[in-house]
Amino acid sequence: MINKTIILFISSLLIFTPIAFGSVEIWAFSLMELGILLIIFLWAIQSILLRNHDPLLRTPNSKLPAILFSLFLLLILFQMLPLPSAMIKIISPQTFSLRQQLLLPTDQLPMTTLSFVPFLTKIEFFKWLTLIGFFLFLLKWRYFDMKTIQRLILVVFGVGLFESLYGMFEFFSGHKHILHLKMDHMISSVTGTFINRNAFAGYLLMVIPLSMGYLFSRQQHSMGQSTGLRHRLTSLDGKSLLIAFGVVLMILGLLLSASRMGIASLLLSFSLISILFRNPQGRRKLSRPSILILSLALLWAAWIGLDAVISRFFTTSESFEDRWKIWQNTFQIIRDYPLLGSGIGTFTQVFPMYRSFHIRGLVTHAENDFLQLVSETGLIGAGLLLTLFLYLFYRAMSGLRSLSYRESERYIGMGGLIGILALMFHSLVERNIQIPANALLYTLIWATVLRIGFAKKGDI
């Protein structure tokens, strides 16, 4: 009963977080955090109840990720810790200087924090804490097996398909709402229930390769026995055909989102899929089914009309110029807060002091997840996460390479890893992991890839 309840809560979070505008509002990501905490609480009860009944069951070892995550969380806590101003002056001279400028001549500054806005840093701390807890829970949860993984993939596939269909309906019907919000002035492309087209594209960049991996995992036996495309198509069952059609619709939704980097990342991910999903015993160097699926989506999009998408590519130079200005100013923030950053979650408040150009509205992110992370957590914080990413990527690749091409788990793991890389590539010029819905799915996919790669070894 506890196990079924945990799966139900995870599925509910996977459905709720993207539909609730990507969970960018404080009420939405607060519910996400509460849901994750409840899942971990149920898991703790389950572990206590099963401790004496199944003592020989081995679970993956996740010590190094836990250590690196703990150090990163301690860094964030240190940013919020009130410290003597003399110490702040040594550790972060720019923070001390800014604090002094904000004081009246008669005021004194006995204690202060490294974070420019400690309250915002606290909000981000709880986001990271719950997502890290969710990741470590999935690594240790003994019932996170292939059966559970496939169920959750179907939930993710269903949500991605709904987002694409809903976004296309709102765009082409002229209704132009996002749920209950009327967005006539903002909807110029397909965005699903996300406010931003690039956040929507980032979400689909993870869902599409994962769904392709699940589709290929269902057909791995026939693919291993025959290299003929006609035989593969005729051997598809109704469920596989439905999944393939759903993938075509999601690709269509991403293309019509007119996200330039999203489309480029999609083409990159399908390049990897066509190489990694091919039959190594066949003569073909590329996977023909994956090329066929992408071609069908491109032809369908061309038939509908890609004028808006193509026109956006002609404005790439202007958009890049604006991003380059933001990046230059972000580098100045990194220069002034090199080691420990200005405080995670404080970019919106710190950036106006460095902005060197005129822009309508407020710059809320650096148009680059990695640059913003360095500016907010410094080289130390970014270095910890980079080390963790490289370690997990190496272990995931080594684990997946040990699986035979005949094993269905291999395709799901490869699809998930390709989705991770596609999102990272997209994040070079966009904000993705800062969107809670994307961050939750990103966390789930990482845990899925690692558990698949080392299901037999029991070591991560």
Side-chain angles (χ1 to χ4, degrees), residues 198-237:
N198 294 302
F200 167 72
Y203 183 81
L204 290 185
L205 282 173
M206 293 183 286
V207 179
I208 292 172
L210 187 64
S211 301
M212 286 290 293
Y214 180 70
L215 175 63
F216 272 71
S217 72
R218 291 178 54 84
Q219 298 300 314
Q220 57 85 23
H221 178 72
S222 60
M223 290 172 66
Q225 297 295 326
S226 172
T227 58
L229 180 61
R230 181 182 300 177
H231 176 81
R232 297 178 189 178
L233 292 176
T234 57
S235 65
L236 288 173
D237 59 288

Side-chain angles (χ1 to χ4, degrees), residues 29 33 73 76 118-130 343-346 376 434:
F29 66 72
E33 293 168 354
L73 291 176
I76 299 177
F119 175 73
L120 297 178
T121 301
K122 184 185 297 185
I123 292 176
E124 290 298 313
F125 171 78
F126 285 115
K127 285 184 188 177
W128 279 89
L129 179 64
T130 52
I344 193 167
T346 63
E376 293 180 342
Q434 299 176 59

Side-chain angles (χ1 to χ4, degrees), residues 126-288:
F126 285 115
K127 285 184 188 177
W128 279 89
L129 179 64
T130 52
L131 288 171
I132 289 171
F134 183 62
F135 174 75
L136 297 177
F137 149 73
L138 291 174
L139 291 187
K140 301 293 289 183
W141 187 31
R142 66 185 70 212
Y143 295 107
F144 192 55
D145 53 13
M146 277 308 302
K147 185 177 180 181
T148 301
I149 287 172
Q150 289 174 354
R151 288 179 179 177
L152 295 177
I153 288 176
L154 287 176
V155 173
V156 172
F157 168 80
V159 175
L161 182 58
F162 167 78
E163 289 286 343
S164 300
L165 290 174
Y166 177 79
M168 287 188 283
F169 170 78
E170 290 291 341
F171 179 66
F172 289 112
S173 67
H175 188 236
K176 294 193 175 181
H177 277 64
I178 299 180
L179 299 180
H180 64 281
L181 300 179
K182 188 172 179 60
M183 308 291 285
D184 285 337
H185 62 291
M186 292 188 63
I187 295 183
S188 58
S189 62
V190 174
T191 64
T193 59
F194 291 79
I195 301 297
N196 186 281
R197 77 176 92 207
N198 294 302
F200 167 72
Y203 183 81
L204 290 185
L205 282 173
M206 293 183 286
V207 179
I208 292 172
L210 187 64
S211 301
M212 286 290 293
Y214 180 70
L215 175 63
F216 272 71
S217 72
R218 291 178 54 84
Q219 298 300 314
Q220 57 85 23
H221 178 72
S222 60
M223 290 172 66
Q225 297 295 326
S226 172
T227 58
L229 180 61
R230 181 182 300 177
H231 176 81
R232 297 178 189 178
L233 292 176
T234 57
S235 65
L236 288 173
D237 59 288
K239 188 175 181 180
S240 296
L241 287 172
L242 181 62
I243 293 172
F245 182 66
V247 172
V248 171
L249 287 174
M250 286 190 286
I251 296 173
L252 183 63
L254 197 155
L255 292 173
L256 296 175
S257 72
S259 172
R260 291 162 297 194
M261 195 61 171
I263 295 173
S265 301
L266 174 71
L267 297 177
L268 173 64
S269 65
F270 263 86
S271 298
L272 294 175
I273 288 172
S274 62
I275 295 172
L276 297 176
F277 284 19
R278 66 183 178 88
N279 184 352
Q281 292 186 347
R283 297 180 179 179
R284 302 287 180 182
K285 294 183 179 181
L286 299 176
S287 169
R288 295 172 68 186

Side-chain angles (χ1 to χ4, degrees), residues 168-452:
M168 287 188 283
F169 170 78
E170 290 291 341
F171 179 66
F172 289 112
S173 67
H175 188 236
K176 294 193 175 181
H177 277 64
I178 299 180
L179 299 180
H180 64 281
L181 300 179
K182 188 172 179 60
M183 308 291 285
D184 285 337
H185 62 291
M186 292 188 63
I187 295 183
S188 58
S189 62
V190 174
T191 64
T193 59
F194 291 79
I195 301 297
N196 186 281
R197 77 176 92 207
N198 294 302
F200 167 72
Y203 183 81
L204 290 185
L205 282 173
M206 293 183 286
V207 179
I208 292 172
L210 187 64
S211 301
M212 286 290 293
Y214 180 70
L215 175 63
F216 272 71
S217 72
R218 291 178 54 84
Q219 298 300 314
Q220 57 85 23
H221 178 72
S222 60
M223 290 172 66
Q225 297 295 326
S226 172
T227 58
L229 180 61
R230 181 182 300 177
H231 176 81
R232 297 178 189 178
L233 292 176
T234 57
S235 65
L236 288 173
D237 59 288
K239 188 175 181 180
S240 296
L241 287 172
L242 181 62
I243 293 172
F245 182 66
V247 172
V248 171
L249 287 174
M250 286 190 286
I251 296 173
L252 183 63
L254 197 155
L255 292 173
L256 296 175
S257 72
S259 172
R260 291 162 297 194
M261 195 61 171
I263 295 173
S265 301
L266 174 71
L267 297 177
L268 173 64
S269 65
F270 263 86
S271 298
L272 294 175
I273 288 172
S274 62
I275 295 172
L276 297 176
F277 284 19
R278 66 183 178 88
N279 184 352
Q281 292 186 347
R283 297 180 179 179
R284 302 287 180 182
K285 294 183 179 181
L286 299 176
S287 169
R288 295 172 68 186
S290 60
I291 296 176
L292 175 62
I293 289 175
L294 179 62
S295 300
L296 289 174
L298 290 173
L299 289 174
W300 196 353
W303 179 74
I304 293 174
L306 292 174
D307 295 341
V309 178
I310 296 173
S311 63
R312 274 185 54 81
F313 277 91
F314 284 106
T315 61
T316 301
S317 58
E318 299 176 7
S319 178
F320 181 78
E321 183 179 353
D322 294 336
R323 281 181 167 85
W324 180 249
K325 293 176 181 178
I326 295 175
W327 294 343
Q328 285 181 317
N329 294 157
T330 304
F331 274 115
Q332 294 175 0
I333 299 176
I334 296 173
R335 181 195 60 192
D336 288 344
Y337 305 89
L339 295 179
L340 299 172
S342 63
I344 193 167
T346 63
F347 180 85
T348 305
Q349 284 68 34
V350 174
F351 185 82
M353 294 181 285
Y354 290 85
R355 192 180 68 190
S356 60
F357 59 96
H358 175 72
I359 187 173
R360 294 179 60 185
L362 184 66
V363 177
T364 59
H365 53 279
E367 301 289 354
N368 183 310
D369 273 335
F370 311 113
L371 277 182
Q372 183 167 336
L373 182 67
V374 177
S375 72
E376 293 180 342
T377 64
L379 295 174
I380 295 177
L384 289 172
L385 293 183
L386 177 61
T387 303
L388 178 66
F389 179 87
L390 293 176
Y391 169 78
L392 294 180
F393 184 80
Y394 168 76
R395 299 311 302 266
M397 280 299 299
S398 61
L400 293 176
R401 287 179 61 186
S402 66
L403 297 175
S404 167
Y405 77 95
R406 292 181 180 272
E407 297 184 71
S408 60
E409 297 90 341
R410 177 182 182 271
Y411 298 97
I412 294 178
M414 284 294 184
L417 196 59
I418 291 171
I420 289 171
L421 293 177
L423 188 74
M424 293 290 96
F425 185 68
H426 191 221
S427 296
L428 289 173
V429 295
E430 293 296 344
R431 174 180 63 170
N432 273 305
I433 303 178
Q434 299 176 59
I435 307 297
N438 292 1
L440 179 71
L441 181 57
Y442 180 80
T443 303
L444 176 73
I445 293 177
W446 256 125
T448 298
V449 171
L450 292 169
R451 285 296 293 259
I452 287 175

